[in-house]
Amino acid sequence: MSENVKTKIVKKKRINFARLLVVILVLYILSCFLIYVYKEPVRHFEIKGNNYVSDMEILREAKLDNYPAYVSLSNKKVNKLLKDNPLINKVTLKHGWNFTIYISVTENIPVFINKNTNEVCLSDGTMIENNNKYTGLPVLLNNTTEEKRKLFAKNFSELSEGVKIMVNEIEYSPSYNSKNQIIDENRFLLSMTDKNLVYLTINKINLLDSYLDIIATEKLTDKGTLFLDGDETRHSFKKFGD
């Protein structure tokens, strides 16, 4: 064997028991913490956005009244449990600190009472039983198609509260020409609390938000009919008796 060949000496690595013990301890603590978080129940619920459905009703129907595990809750699960409540459109659930769950509710708002069926129409067009729980709602005096009723309910529900409470009665009132042919099948007539009448169409219900401004700006002290069913930039007012 050549004298120039060097013999390679392999050193055995020694196990650092102190470092290994630290790693095991950290993993153990982390596992215990994860198990604790997984099993820990919700400590507090904060619910907002609900005016017609009580907090307790939401918790009970979503099976949250027994304070389940914090990490087990999800939007999908809670919405699925609440889907049979017609007053709830959807809920948004968020996890907060200290095992708190925040629930934001979007409701289907009661819009009007159908006089013929004595049912309450919600903002999504759903009809529910009138149990005299929803007071102060306007009354729909006659029938219209389901499609028009749903669109009217949706658009009307988006008006400001100050204007909505001024509407007493709603009447489906399509306009006709001299040959008794329908000109506008989307027109409605509203009876207001101040004794005025307002004509408007389904797609222009948002114009009703300008009602009080029109009355105040033009100093309309006489009672009459306000026509908001024409051009969006124009309106007209006709006094009763003219």
Side-chain angles (χ1 to χ4, degrees):
M1 181 179 295
S2 173
E3 295 181 358
N4 295 327
V5 176
K6 295 183 179 180
T7 303
K8 185 177 182 181
I9 301 175
V10 179
K11 294 184 178 180
K12 292 184 178 181
K13 292 184 178 180
R14 300 179 61 183
I15 298 176
N16 190 325
F17 287 100
R19 182 177 298 176
L20 179 61
L21 184 61
V22 170
V23 172
I24 293 174
L25 183 60
V26 170
L27 291 175
Y28 173 76
I29 294 174
L30 181 60
S31 299
C32 289
F33 175 75
L34 292 176
I35 293 173
Y36 164 73
V37 172
Y38 182 79
K39 292 184 176 181
E40 186 68 11
V42 177
R43 295 178 183 174
H44 180 62
F45 289 101
E46 286 195 16
I47 305 175
K48 65 178 183 179
N50 53 317
N51 295 308
Y52 297 96
V53 186
S54 68
D55 290 359
M56 185 52 64
E57 189 175 355
I58 292 172
L59 294 177
R60 185 172 59 250
E61 292 183 8
K63 301 186 184 306
L64 303 176
D65 52 337
N66 61 347
Y67 286 73
Y70 173 79
V71 298
S72 69
L73 301 182
S74 68
N75 272 320
K76 184 177 180 180
K77 181 184 294 186
V78 173
N79 275 284
K80 183 177 181 180
L81 291 169
L82 292 173
K83 67 181 178 62
D84 291 330
N85 190 325
L87 289 168
I88 297 179
N89 183 8
K90 69 174 182 178
V91 297
T92 302
L93 182 147
K94 292 184 178 181
H95 293 74
W97 292 104
N98 199 27
F99 301 98
T100 296
I101 294 293
Y102 297 92
I103 299 176
S104 179
V105 182
T106 302
E107 292 181 317
N108 287 320
I109 303 169
V111 179
F112 59 79
I113 297 172
N114 188 324
K115 182 179 180 180
N116 291 333
T117 63
N118 194 32
E119 293 177 303
V120 174
C121 181
L122 304 180
S123 53
D124 68 346
T126 301
M127 305 298 291
I128 63 173
E129 179 184 357
N130 180 16
N131 53 14
N132 298 318
K133 181 179 178 181
Y134 312 106
T135 59
L137 295 179
V139 177
L140 176 65
L141 301 178
N142 55 353
N143 287 324
T144 182
T145 64
E146 181 180 1
E147 180 183 3
K148 288 182 174 58
R149 186 194 74 236
K150 287 185 174 182
L151 185 56
F152 182 93
K154 175 183 178 297
N155 293 345
F156 188 86
S157 69
E158 296 172 355
L159 293 172
S160 63
E161 291 299 322
V163 170
K164 284 191 289 187
I165 62 175
M166 292 189 67
V167 180
N168 267 337
E169 295 176 337
I170 305 166
E171 181 180 352
Y172 176 56
S173 182
S175 57
Y176 296 83
N177 60 19
S178 58
K179 296 181 180 180
N180 204 32
Q181 297 171 325
I182 294 180
I183 300 174
D184 192 341
E185 62 180 3
N186 295 314
R187 193 176 73 157
F188 283 79
L189 174 63
L190 308 184
S191 174
M192 311 298 286
T193 57
D194 60 4
K195 308 303 181 183
N196 284 326
L197 299 177
V198 179
Y199 278 107
L200 45 68
T201 59
I202 295 177
N203 294 323
K204 297 178 182 178
I205 291 178
N206 63 301
L207 296 179
L208 196 62
D209 270 334
S210 302
Y211 177 75
L212 291 175
D213 289 335
I214 294 173
I215 298 297
T217 301
E218 301 189 12
K219 300 179 181 180
L220 300 177
T221 56
D222 295 312
K223 302 305 176 186
T225 303
L226 179 63
F227 295 86
L228 297 177
D229 57 330
D231 192 313
E232 289 190 13
T233 61
R234 301 177 61 185
H235 63 268
S236 60
F237 183 80
K238 183 178 181 180
K239 292 190 296 184
F240 292 140
D242 286 354

